[in-house]
Amino acid sequence: MMDVSGVGFPSKVPWKKMSAEELENQYCPSRWVVRLGAEEALRTYSQIGIEALPFFLFFHGGYWQSGSKDESAFMVDPLTAQGVAVVIVAYDIAPKGTLDHMVDQVTRSVAFVQKRYPSNKGIYLCGHSAGAHLAAMMLLADWTKHGVTPNLRGFFLVSGVFDLEPIVYTSQNVALQLTLEDAQRNSPQLKVAQAQPVDPTCCVLVVVGQFDSPEFHRQSWEFYQVLPVQNLCQGEWKASFEELHDVDHFEIVENLTQKDNVLTQIILKTIFQ
């Protein structure tokens, strides 16, 4: 993990001082890509019907309005080869689905896996970009409503957005139609400090790519900072932060096709520690 001692961001949120053009630029990941050409991700999906395995649930990105589970099953092989059951979670993207609806769908998906495979060796949630937001919202879920307490053992939040207020003022909101109230209600950044870990051994890894925009860096760092909050009943979040070098917003997750990739190895080490 990178040494984050002495690292910090200004206490005042910088995005509020940005022009509309600069804010749009900051929240458009494709404008921060520095590679010469995009690599085509390997899209395979292997189904494993064995119950007593660790389960890895992946939530795709696409600003809650593009992408699909079929397009996102590219990290399956390196994980299934090590005995991990991989589930690519689908949700209704905008404008068909509202953000509240997406969060509910994802919550139900996690609950379903626990009910269907109660002898699992741990459920690990991974999300990229908008998917990282949806995964982070599971830190706040009220599982009593779903009649099950999932065996959540780890979260991998990759290049995510955790405070949605800036999104309200970008073109991404044309399809989402978020009000300020919607954004605040669905911002884990604002609520996770008061949340209780389902399991005190559950780890949360916040990851960002070197070539993500400064706003994505700020969002990831500030979300990480609010995680290690003392909880008198169940202890602290086991949180860590990592900046992965030489990758942009898309490569950071596409590289999960490689078994020797840094993030792939971190995920496997966390699952099998």
Side-chain angles (χ1 to χ4, degrees), residues 9 18 47 88 178 199 245 258:
F9 287 90
M18 294 179 184
Q47 294 182 334
I88 312 299
L178 290 175
D199 185 328
H245 297 291
Q258 306 166 15

Side-chain angles (χ1 to χ4, degrees), residues 19 69 117 122 202 239 250:
S19 66
K69 67 179 181 64
Y117 302 102
C202 181
F250 304 102

Side-chain angles (χ1 to χ4, degrees), residues 160-195:
V161 180
F162 308 104
D163 177 5
L164 302 192
E165 185 178 350
I167 303 298
V168 174
Y169 305 101
T170 70
S171 63
Q172 304 299 340
N173 200 34
V174 173
L176 293 170
Q177 292 294 298
L178 290 175
T179 65
L180 184 57
E181 182 182 0
D182 294 332
Q184 292 173 342
R185 184 174 60 255
N186 288 288
S187 289
Q189 170 75 24
L190 305 180
K191 301 178 180 180
V192 75
Q194 287 75 46

Side-chain angles (χ1 to χ4, degrees), residues 238-253:
K238 284 182 61 178
S240 56
F241 177 90
E242 176 117 9
E243 177 187 296
L244 297 188
H245 297 291
D246 298 324
V247 291
D248 60 42
H249 186 81
F250 304 102
E251 288 171 319
I252 194 172
V253 69

Side-chain angles (χ1 to χ4, degrees), residues 23 35 62 87 113 206:
L23 188 64
R35 56 186 161 163
V87 178
V113 170
V206 184

